[in-house]
Amino acid sequence: DMVEKHLIRVGVENLIGFLREGMKGWLEAGLPFERIGQMSVHELNEHVSRRDGLQVLDVRRDDEWEQGAVPTAKHVYVPFLKDSLE
């Protein structure tokens, strides 16, 4: 119930299930899994400075975006993401 409230706050309103055993259960069941690497703010700054084609997508709320963002980032609030991407 608490998780559902948090998801609704960020725009996820059509919750149809959850992982009872979490990611551990998912992996133990042999289901597909992909990992996206992370980069430090310093690495991100290097990419932005080099203008090497990295596109940053900021999915925070408008008020969070207005407080500061990566200069080249595109902004689409996460509840509108599905309808906003080409």
Side-chain angles (χ1 to χ4, degrees), residues 43-52 54 56 70-73:
E43 291 170 308
L44 176 59
N45 186 47
E46 288 176 23
H47 282 281
V48 171
S49 297
R50 286 194 310 255
R51 299 185 182 275
D52 62 6
L54 177 71
V56 176
V70 173
T72 59

Side-chain angles (χ1 to χ4, degrees), residues 19 22-34:
L19 296 175
M23 285 306 299
K24 181 180 179 224
W26 182 275
L27 294 171
E28 288 175 352
L31 296 167
F33 177 76
E34 290 186 33

Side-chain angles (χ1 to χ4, degrees), residues 40-80:
S40 70
V41 294
H42 303 292
E43 291 170 308
L44 176 59
N45 186 47
E46 288 176 23
H47 282 281
V48 171
S49 297
R50 286 194 310 255
R51 299 185 182 275
D52 62 6
L54 177 71
Q55 178 60 66
V56 176
L57 180 62
D58 190 324
V59 296
R60 297 175 299 158
R61 295 186 320 260
D62 290 346
D63 63 316
E64 294 171 312
W65 166 263
E66 291 165 3
Q67 291 178 12
V70 173
T72 59
K74 290 188 179 183
H75 177 234
V76 179
Y77 182 38
V78 74
F80 309 122

Side-chain angles (χ1 to χ4, degrees), residues 5-25:
K5 286 179 186 177
H6 287 293
L7 289 171
I8 288 171
R9 287 181 186 155
V10 297
V12 179
E13 298 176 354
N14 189 19
L15 185 62
I16 58 173
F18 65 95
L19 296 175
R20 184 178 307 260
E21 301 296 322
M23 285 306 299
K24 181 180 179 224

